[in-house]
Amino acid sequence: MNHRLREIPYNYTSFSDAEIVRRLLGTDAWRLLEDLRERRVTGRSARMLFEVLGDLWVVQRNPYIQEDLAQNRRRRQALWDALAHRLNDIAGRADGNPLVLRLLDSARAAVSGFTRQFDEDLMLRRKAERRLLRITAKDNVDFSAYARVSHVTDASDWRVELPFVVLYPIDEQEVQRLVSACRELGLSIIPRGGGTGYTGGAIPLRRHCAVINTEKLEQISAVEKIIPPGLNDAAHSIFAGAGVVTKAVADAADAAGLVFAVDPTSMDASTIGGNIAMNAGGKKAVLWGTALDNLLSWRMVTPDGNWLEVERMNHNLGRIHDQPEVRFRLNRFAADGHTVLGEPETLTLPGASFRKAGLGKDVTDKFLGGLPGIQKEGCDGIITSGRFLLHRMPAHVRTVCLEFYGSDLDAAVPAIVEVKSYVEGLEHVLLAGLEHLDERYLKAIKYSNKAPRHERPKMLLLADIASDDPDAAGAAAAAVVRIANARGGEGFVATTPESRRRFWADRSRTAAISAHTNAFKINEDVVIPLENLAQYSRAIERINIEQSINSKLASLSALEEYVSGDLAEVRKAKDYEDSSEDQAIVDAKKSAARALISNTRGRWQSLLEKLDMPAMEHPE
């Protein structure tokens, strides 16, 4: 059978015909179909079968068609009748062939299951709509194709199943009531904020799934001073609902002359609930830590439809791993949010357990000693709000931009470690922000060099150096530039708010171009020791090269299979006749093409096998 052709109608997806047949009819169906076609037992019957599969596939993958069929019973019945008619035609042509009949049985089962499932989903939709509309307004219960498509994936762009319904609670109490209703209806629940996550935490994996979008939980308090539990002195804090955009909290803190430490690259789109659930960090994490370090308390709805409030006790107002012992108080409430369930529980953990040695964050430890909500990506409940600690930035800040050039990162990476160690060793000076961008990102954002050089930097390092003493801040910035110079880098210092903003603008643009960097960007939460950065970057680059070459080899194999085939469509397009002379022309071209493909494949295969060989020694 010719694998190169896509014969299933409406297959505009990345799935091959073989994959679709296996998904709809079972793993043995494709082999059975290939066997029949190689024996030339089936022709028109195969086309009719593919038409049936095409109809099933396009309805499964297109929620707009699903919506149209759901709203129009006559059109829906017409499709069911057409599917049955084609299957009956196939049966009439089977001539008792047992293989054809086996394939036909699989197709009938697929169609029957599909139509039954469609009707059952319609009934569940009506039931769910009645139940959910008793809780919230009609605008907050969305079965539309647009809402389902918008919530099928997050920034990872992974797509598994369309959600059954999208819910938009308007306050924390509605979140609880909607969770309870979804449990009654048998719907899986996916919490979702800004949809900026790269780990797939907001992606539905089942058909009967409700996405609870928290974007309407927008309550935000003024900056206020409170006395955290277990402390004697007041601290600045801010309360925010799960749907508040991170940048809005940062702006509110800035307006009060304070700093909100949670500063992910996606802060213009990410939301507070996601920041807590993902334990978000950012450039300020080097000084004040991640979301976990800065939370005073948070509130969440648990999977059983009850409430859980978590309070940090005896907060050290700094990074959590600097505190020898960390305590959290867990308060549980019934569905009404007021009735206390049992005595408060105290969770006591060593501060060092929240960080892996040498790292600012341990993404491998989702459990975090059983601490609910944090870094769980919504798996143990839906975050509805949080109260954060705010910080005061020293009066004078210098932003240093360091550009490193050369052929690799071996010289540049030690500079990161040296800069961090140097500033952290100074009195009255803080390293308030640190971020690096590698060469591929600099290319993607069209970075404009600050140094008068033509080549693009191999790495860019941005650092905020802060102090209440302007001379100390200036001296530290100058020393950091000298560290970069000693490593072959160029350094530049920004002192005014506007020039500092321009320096950091390149970093903020990385979130906007992330959708265009999937070819080289691993969109995962990666945390590594700074001294291993060069080794890590080389390993990632090797993966890029290997995958690129393997992709080329796969394309060459597919192309070789194509030119080795009958090429009837080529003869037709070129007006070749089936004469021996015309066939000789086609055969000659096919032979030349195969030779070129073989030669090219050999060169790429040789490069793949000799990646570790120095370029000057490579025979190519």
Side-chain angles (χ1 to χ4, degrees), residues 107-170:
R108 288 192 190 279
V111 170
S112 176
F114 175 81
T115 57
R116 183 178 62 254
Q117 171 189 301
F118 198 97
D119 292 339
E120 289 173 352
D121 285 354
L122 276 180
M123 293 175 62
L124 179 60
R125 173 171 170 171
R126 297 186 188 106
K127 178 182 178 182
E129 201 164 16
R130 288 193 300 270
R131 178 67 178 89
L132 297 169
L133 291 181
R134 296 206 300 267
I135 298 171
T136 188
K138 186 174 180 62
D139 289 346
N140 300 327
V141 179
D142 202 340
F143 291 92
S144 73
Y146 176 78
R148 297 172 67 207
V149 167
S150 301
H151 291 77
V152 71
T153 187
D154 56 12
S156 69
D157 205 34
W158 298 339
R159 298 163 193 271
V160 182
E161 291 284 354
L162 289 159
F164 183 72
V165 63
V166 180
L167 305 173
Y168 302 89
I170 62 171

Side-chain angles (χ1 to χ4, degrees), residues 489-540:
E490 305 272 3
F492 306 87
V493 180
T495 59
T496 67
E498 179 58 28
S499 59
R500 291 183 55 241
R501 186 197 65 77
R502 287 198 302 269
F503 273 28
W504 280 108
D506 289 319
R507 180 259 187 184
S508 63
R509 289 170 57 206
T510 59
I513 56 92
S514 62
H516 308 289
T517 59
N518 286 335
F520 67 83
K521 181 173 182 288
I522 294 184
N523 286 327
E524 299 289 352
D525 229 343
V526 178
V527 181
I528 60 172
L530 286 176
E531 60 271 18
N532 293 343
L533 182 59
Q535 178 184 351
Y536 168 79
S537 297
R538 284 194 296 269
I540 292 298

Side-chain angles (χ1 to χ4, degrees), residues 50-71:
F50 281 156
E51 288 172 2
V52 169
L53 299 182
D55 285 343
L56 297 183
W57 184 247
V58 73
V59 175
Q60 280 191 10
R61 305 295 293 187
N62 193 321
Y64 292 94
I65 296 178
Q66 293 174 17
E67 189 171 9
D68 179 69
L69 293 175
Q71 294 175 357

Side-chain angles (χ1 to χ4, degrees), residues 533-548:
L533 182 59
Q535 178 184 351
Y536 168 79
S537 297
R538 284 194 296 269
I540 292 298
E541 186 64 14
R542 184 186 180 93
I543 292 173
N544 287 331
I545 294 170
E546 288 176 348
Q547 292 297 319
S548 176

Side-chain angles (χ1 to χ4, degrees), residues 435-439 441-442 445 459-460 506-507 510:
E435 193 86 19
H436 101 283
L437 300 176
D438 64 23
E439 182 182 21
Y441 253 125
L442 296 176
I445 64 175
M459 185 186 80
L460 182 75
D506 289 319
R507 180 259 187 184
T510 59

Side-chain angles (χ1 to χ4, degrees), residues 431-465:
L431 184 60
L434 186 66
E435 193 86 19
H436 101 283
L437 300 176
D438 64 23
E439 182 182 21
R440 287 180 176 270
Y441 253 125
L442 296 176
K443 180 179 180 180
I445 64 175
K446 297 181 172 61
Y447 176 75
S448 179
N449 294 13
K450 293 174 177 60
R453 298 204 189 192
H454 294 295
E455 78 261 38
R456 184 177 291 108
K458 192 73 175 177
M459 185 186 80
L460 182 75
L461 182 65
L462 290 166
D464 272 345
I465 297 172

